[in-house]
Amino acid sequence: SSELTQDPAVSVALGQTVSITCQGDSLRSYYASWYQQKPGQAPVLVIYGNDNRPSGIPDRFSGSSSGNIASLTITGAQAADEADYYCNSRDSDGKHLKIFGGGTKLTVL
Amino acid sequence: QAQLQESGPGLVKPSETLSLTCTVSGGTISSYYWTWIRQSPGKGLEWIGYIYFSGSTNYNPSLKSRVTISVDTSKNQFFLRLSSLTAADTAMYYCARDRGEYYDSRGDAFDTWGPGTMVTVSS
């Protein structure tokens, strides 16, 4: 089975740019999606297919992937972006299992 | 726009079986992978498994021996059964829609979630 590794916590100054990374061998073969979760709420999809943004998600959110690392970038972070962020992809065994990263808590200073 | 709503008991005793229902409204259940995900208090997200509308299933290997996911397309509902409960199964349980395709991960996305239902395992 595979693992997706995320930094537990990241901080960014208001209005600055921050990248949250997700590392795992399965990312060499499969696309990543990203989810934002605020306290007491269900997660919300913010990026899928490595770099696709669903309708309604602000364009300050973007995604990329290279090798075994997927990244979520917030350009011009807002106070409303303070949340937990989780990456998701498939397990590398090819059996269509899904795995989440451990999550990154983003603090906007 | 599809909406999902979980329902089930908030408190279950150890060793018993948890049964949860996810009702899909505003859309058809006859497509997509219908998924259960849980989150223990203060912890991250854990994928439990899915059922395709046709009935095929796939489960997290760590839970596979205790999990059954089923679907009733006539009622637009799908279900989770988790047996032999312990305190470690205490969590918020979410149902979600995965719009991905089996042979192409580009579209993998849990694009719709229910609000979640908290389940506590305690005597």
Side-chain angles (χ1 to χ4, degrees):
Chain A
S1 64
S2 305
E3 289 186 351
L4 296 177
T5 301
Q6 297 182 240
D7 291 330
V10 171
S11 62
V12 61
L14 185 67
Q16 297 303 300
T17 296
V18 62
S19 288
I20 297 169
T21 61
C22 175
Q23 184 172 1
D25 287 342
S26 65
L27 297 175
R28 297 183 186 278
S29 304
Y30 299 110
Y31 292 87
S33 56
W34 290 90
Y35 302 85
Q36 176 194 69
Q37 186 180 33
K38 296 182 179 180
Q41 298 183 18
V44 172
L45 174 70
V46 295
I47 293 288
Y48 68 96
N50 287 345
D51 57 6
N52 295 280
R53 195 173 52 249
S55 61
I57 300 301
D59 60 6
R60 63 179 181 272
F61 289 89
S62 63
S64 63
S65 185
S66 179
N68 70 334
I69 298 176
S71 301
L72 171 70
T73 299
I74 306 174
T75 303
Q78 304 298 306
D81 301 332
E82 186 163 291
D84 294 326
Y85 291 86
Y86 295 91
C87 61
N88 179 269
S89 188
R90 297 190 184 190
D91 191 285
S92 57
D93 68 0
K95 296 179 180 178
H96 201 213
L97 305 176
K98 304 296 182 73
I99 51 175
F100 284 98
T104 297
K105 180 174 180 57
L106 176 66
T107 300
V108 180
L109 304 172
Chain B
Q1 182 79 351
Q3 293 185 318
L4 279 62
Q5 179 68 55
E6 305 88 350
S7 59
L11 180 65
V12 191
K13 290 182 169 53
S15 79
E16 293 188 343
T17 296
L18 171 67
S19 294
L20 296 178
T21 298
C22 183
T23 301
V24 180
S25 59
T28 178
I29 203 169
S30 297
S31 187
Y32 305 113
Y33 293 90
W34 300 96
T35 300
W36 288 97
I37 294 163
R38 71 180 183 179
Q39 185 172 36
S40 301
K43 303 296 185 183
L45 301 171
E46 179 180 27
W47 180 81
I48 297 172
Y50 68 65
I51 187 163
Y52 194 51
F53 75 97
S54 62
S56 62
T57 56
N58 208 357
Y59 303 131
N60 186 323
S62 69
L63 298 169
K64 188 173 184 177
S65 64
R66 299 193 292 129
V67 172
T68 302
I69 300 177
S70 57
V71 65
D72 185 337
T73 55
S74 67
K75 294 183 178 179
N76 255 24
Q77 293 177 325
F78 64 105
F79 311 95
L80 171 70
R81 284 175 56 87
L82 182 63
S83 64
S84 304
L85 294 172
T86 70
D89 296 309
T90 293
M92 182 71 80
Y93 285 76
Y94 297 100
C95 58
R97 185 179 76 175
D98 181 353
R99 67 182 194 193
E101 299 178 4
Y102 191 94
Y103 294 108
D104 184 356
S105 67
R106 179 184 293 272
D108 286 1
F110 303 114
D111 67 342
T112 307
W113 296 65
T117 186
M118 184 67 201
V119 175
T120 301
V121 181
S122 175
S123 56

